[in-house]
Structure formats: structure tokens, C-alpha cells
Amino acid sequence: FKEEFNKAAAGQFGSGWAWLVSDQAGKLRIVATSNAETPVTDATLVPLLTCDVWEHAYYIDHRNSRPNYLAGFWKVVNWDFAAANYAARARPKL
């Protein structure tokens, strides 16, 4: 998972995001979006976790090294938040 997520994040040309999303069947997927594009606008996907790969996120602290930024990202991932998002996606809408 981590390798595939890093591949999506590092491979995003220019500014964008890497996302862990759940589809309607509950299957997990990794998607990358450009600029301000977001899976929030796709009714079939629920965002669970995201990584900002816009240059402003890592330019100064990581000397413009996206791979170093991604290595640090895994040290601060909030897995409880992602799990709560996954659990909430299965709840029926009232």
C-alpha cells in the first residue's frame, strides 16, 4: 500500500494530491488528482486520507524533495481519522 501510494504521490506531475478512497462497494483505491481536483466531487468515492503534493507543502522543509517529504508523511498519518472515515462511509444516509 505504502509503495503504491508513494508512487501515485511522487508521480503526480506538478501540483496535486494523492488520495486513499473507498468506492461504493467498500473497495480501497489510490487515486491522484491534479491541482484543485478532488474525489469529493465524485459521488462514487469517499476520501479517507490525502497527501498534499503541491510544492508549497515541501519546498522549504524538504528542500524541494518530494520523496523526502513523502517519507516524513508516513510519520504523521492519522490512521484513526482514516479508519473513522471508512467506517462512516458505510453508514446509511438519513
Side-chain angles (χ1 to χ4, degrees):
F1 163 76
K2 186 176 170 182
E3 184 177 318
E4 289 299 313
F5 193 92
N6 280 351
K7 184 177 175 182
Q12 175 60 44
F13 179 76
S15 299
W17 309 83
W19 302 85
L20 173 63
V21 299
S22 172
D23 65 18
Q24 291 177 320
K27 183 177 177 184
L28 298 176
R29 294 177 36 202
I30 297 169
V31 296
T33 59
S34 297
N35 301 315
E37 192 179 344
T38 172
V40 172
T41 60
D42 183 338
T44 67
L45 299 176
V46 175
L48 307 175
L49 177 74
T50 189
C51 180
D52 178 355
V53 291
W54 286 60
E55 190 177 77
H56 67 253
Y58 58 89
Y59 181 77
I60 294 174
D61 291 345
H62 298 282
R63 303 295 183 247
N64 206 27
S65 171
R66 193 177 283 185
N68 289 345
Y69 167 68
L70 292 171
F73 170 77
W74 296 108
K75 296 175 184 174
V76 297
V77 169
N78 186 339
W79 292 112
D80 292 335
F81 177 78
N85 288 339
Y86 184 78
R89 68 127 194 95
R91 291 191 191 125
K93 305 240 188 294
L94 299 177

